[in-house]
Amino acid sequence: MVYLTKSSLVADPEHVELLRDEFQHRHLVRLPHFVHPEFFTLVERSVAEGRWERYSGDFDSEEVLRQGAAVALLHFVANWPQMLNFVHQITGCGPFTWFGGRVYRMSSGAGHHDDWHTDDVDGRRVAMSINLSRRGYQGGLLQMRARGGAALLAEVANTGPGDATFFRISKALEHRVTDVLQGEPRVAFAGFFGAARPTLVDQLHQLAEDAGR
């Protein structure tokens, strides 16, 4: 059993071992109900109070939640030392010092899309996506393949409230999210774990030192 609350990460050692084996074979693991229902409700309420902005990049188009309570809370939890250590335990890709990401929304009929890409930049090693959609959605499948290949290595429908997916970032692998079909939008907190930046604690200490000068 593995789940995340607003104050701790609960991870059964035997389950962690199983997740590690699965990640090594598939480059991906999915954790149903990763976010505890009480914590999910808190996050959901904060997201509902936020404002969305249109975003278009080289290979994707979506709406991104502006910086606010929801984004700050999720980033804080994702950067807990125990969270960073847990992701290293199940992936073997760390140790990690940071997580960075965003809350985004993909809707049908809005021109939102996500094409094949690697995300292998800025020291990124593992991606995490947590579903924040209460009622699920149609489409919006996470797909992985070997870079430039045709056959899928994995396809995941991460549609349960608080479900989480962790997958490997590598120049040898590509991934995408398929278009969302009619119905509810796909809302997710997604980003990357890496080791090329100072920890959140170190950053806060540095800010405090700079403020005291």
Side-chain angles (χ1 to χ4, degrees), residues 59-99:
F59 52 79
D60 58 347
S61 175
E62 60 198 26
E63 289 179 299
V64 177
L65 192 68
R66 294 179 61 177
Q67 293 294 325
V71 178
L73 173 61
L74 289 165
H75 268 108
F76 179 74
V77 170
N79 279 280
W80 282 345
Q82 63 181 139
M83 181 70 168
L84 299 175
N85 183 58
F86 165 73
V87 178
H88 172 51
Q89 285 183 310
I90 65 173
T91 66
C93 296
F96 302 110
T97 61
W98 62 272
F99 174 89

Side-chain angles (χ1 to χ4, degrees), residues 165-185:
T165 301
F166 298 83
F167 58 95
R168 189 187 305 275
I169 297 299
S170 164
K171 65 180 64 177
L173 298 170
E174 294 180 315
H175 61 275
R176 71 174 180 181
V177 174
T178 64
D179 291 350
V180 175
L181 307 178
Q182 63 181 1
E184 296 294 322

